[in-house]
């Protein structure tokens, strides 16, 4: 089953890749590594999940935010490569979670992205991971994902 077929099985299609919010590239390639700039839980140009997880949002909301940000990561990779054929695997996921003081379930929030990648990318999903908590982030986004992926030679 292809990545697109796995997305379709979840009722999803790749959205257009979101445009950067500032003066930077959405994806930068160095050799066989793709560095995907921070992806927010954006849909139709709007941040869908805003606020602090543990105060304004539930753990499940945070996980859905992470899934949507992960979908935008895939949109960026697909746009950069033209397909998923050259994607070798996800190397590293860095999850930034906006969370309430004293709330400590940030890793479970980013599991939303990791589980999404595992489901959609299968053997291409294995990755190292880091999770960071913030009081506030750009666009009041609940989650921002930064990803490094390895690509196969052209």
């Amino acid at each position: 089953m292809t990545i697109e077929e796995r997305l379709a099985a979840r009722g999803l299609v790749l959205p257009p890749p979101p445009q950067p919010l500032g003066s930077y590239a959405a994806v930068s390639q160095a050799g066989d590594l793709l560095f995907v700039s921070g992806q927010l839980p954006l849909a139709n140009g709007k941040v869908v999940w805003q606020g602090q997880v543990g105060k304004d949002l539930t753990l499940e909301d945070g996980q859905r935010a992470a899934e949507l940000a992960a979908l935008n990561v895939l949109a960026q990779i697909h746009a950069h490569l033209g397909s998923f054929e050259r994607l070798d695997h996800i190397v590293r996921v860095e999850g930034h979670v906006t969370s309430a003081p004293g709330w400590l379930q940030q890793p479970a929030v980013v599991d939303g992205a990791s589980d999404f990648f595992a489901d959609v990318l299968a053997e291409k999903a294995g990755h190292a991971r880091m999770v960071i908590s913030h009081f506030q982030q750009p666009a009041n986004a609940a989650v921002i994902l930064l990803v490094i992926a390895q690509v196969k030679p052209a």
Side-chain angles (χ1 to χ4, degrees), residues 69-128:
L71 180 64
N72 288 326
V73 166
L74 294 185
Q76 294 293 358
I77 291 171
H78 189 272
H80 184 80
L81 297 175
S83 74
F84 289 115
E85 287 182 32
R86 291 186 47 225
L87 175 63
D88 186 75
H89 73 286
I90 302 295
V91 175
R92 182 172 189 254
V93 172
E94 186 175 303
H96 296 257
V97 180
T98 307
S99 53
W103 194 82
L104 302 175
Q105 297 183 46
Q106 294 85 0
V109 169
V110 182
D111 282 346
S114 293
D115 293 345
F116 175 82
F117 286 141
D119 187 41
V120 173
L121 298 177
E123 71 281 351
K124 297 179 179 202
H127 58 270

Side-chain angles (χ1 to χ4, degrees), residues 4-109:
E4 290 87 348
E5 290 169 338
R6 288 187 200 106
L7 285 168
R10 292 177 67 121
L12 298 171
V13 295
L14 281 178
Q19 295 301 305
L21 299 178
S23 300
Y24 57 90
V27 179
S28 179
Q29 185 167 350
D32 65 346
L33 295 178
L34 293 183
F35 295 83
V36 182
S37 293
Q39 296 300 300
L40 285 64
L42 283 168
N44 301 315
K46 295 182 181 172
V47 178
V48 177
W49 300 101
Q50 294 183 313
Q52 295 178 330
V53 184
K55 177 184 172 199
D56 307 312
L57 302 170
T58 66
L59 169 61
E60 293 76 19
D61 293 337
Q63 290 170 329
R64 287 193 291 274
E67 286 181 18
L68 182 53
L71 180 64
N72 288 326
V73 166
L74 294 185
Q76 294 293 358
I77 291 171
H78 189 272
H80 184 80
L81 297 175
S83 74
F84 289 115
E85 287 182 32
R86 291 186 47 225
L87 175 63
D88 186 75
H89 73 286
I90 302 295
V91 175
R92 182 172 189 254
V93 172
E94 186 175 303
H96 296 257
V97 180
T98 307
S99 53
W103 194 82
L104 302 175
Q105 297 183 46
Q106 294 85 0
V109 169

